[in-house]
Amino acid sequence: MVVPVLLGISLMWFPVGLLLLGKGEARGTGALTLMVGTLTIVGAVIIATMGADPIVGGLLFTYGFFYNIVGYSLYAGLTDPRSVGNASATVGLITIVYIILFLTVWAPNGYMALGCAGYLVLYIMVWLNAYGKFSGKALGWSLIIWTFVGLWWPAFTLLAMGKLPF
């Protein structure tokens, strides 16, 4: 279930990145983002329960809710992005805890800690962007680049080799 969720999330990150670069429109991108957020929440529940991985499931659950707030914000045409920024800051704090636990308490997993660190950087960028402290174009490029590194690379490595990149 992890591979479909990762690929599904890429269906949001890439278009949102393009939107921030001036390519696309907000309502359609918002609708897509709401669908991806819902898929991520459902996938998280399946991964946590049937996949017996409450660690990854819990993280994906929070990410799915964040994707839904982004989707709603875009779809509804909200002009004040601070609610998205505040949600991003909250998810960033949760991600920090996950990084620490991936490096110390749980079976040390450098790849998962690195992945979470990359997501953390994106969440910080979103938070700063929402408060006018970070460029939307830089955030757009970051989302597009991280689609390759943080979503497609692990998804296709899992498909091809049955394990994460390292």
Side-chain angles (χ1 to χ4, degrees):
M1 187 67 201
V2 172
V3 171
V5 171
L6 290 174
L7 294 175
I9 292 169
S10 76
L11 292 174
M12 179 209 84
W13 282 17
F14 210 88
V16 170
L18 290 173
L19 180 67
L20 290 168
L21 295 172
K23 310 291 183 199
E25 59 85 35
R27 283 182 62 90
T29 304
L32 172 64
T33 303
L34 281 165
M35 288 182 243
V36 169
T38 302
L39 164 79
T40 304
I41 292 167
V42 170
V45 170
I46 292 169
I47 290 166
T49 57
M50 297 162 92
D53 190 350
I55 294 169
V56 171
L59 187 62
L60 286 172
F61 195 75
T62 60
Y63 289 0
F65 274 96
F66 174 73
Y67 301 155
N68 276 343
I69 187 85
V70 170
Y72 174 77
S73 176
L74 293 171
Y75 186 79
L78 299 183
T79 56
D80 184 348
R82 290 179 297 175
S83 60
V84 172
N86 294 340
S88 187
T90 305
V91 175
L93 292 171
I94 292 167
T95 302
I96 290 170
V97 173
Y98 266 78
I99 291 168
I100 293 167
L101 293 173
F102 274 128
L103 291 173
T104 59
V105 177
W106 298 321
N109 188 327
Y111 180 80
M112 290 300 290
L114 176 65
C116 285
Y119 295 164
L120 174 60
V121 169
L122 288 174
Y123 289 121
I124 292 169
M125 289 177 184
V126 170
W127 174 59
L128 292 171
N129 176 264
Y131 281 88
K133 306 292 184 193
F134 191 79
S135 159
K137 288 192 185 282
L139 177 56
W141 280 114
S142 297
L143 284 166
I144 290 169
I145 291 166
W146 195 250
T147 297
F148 289 92
V149 176
L151 296 171
W152 290 343
W153 181 32
F156 294 129
T157 303
L158 275 169
L159 277 173
M161 300 181 347
K163 62 181 184 151
L164 291 170
F166 59 86

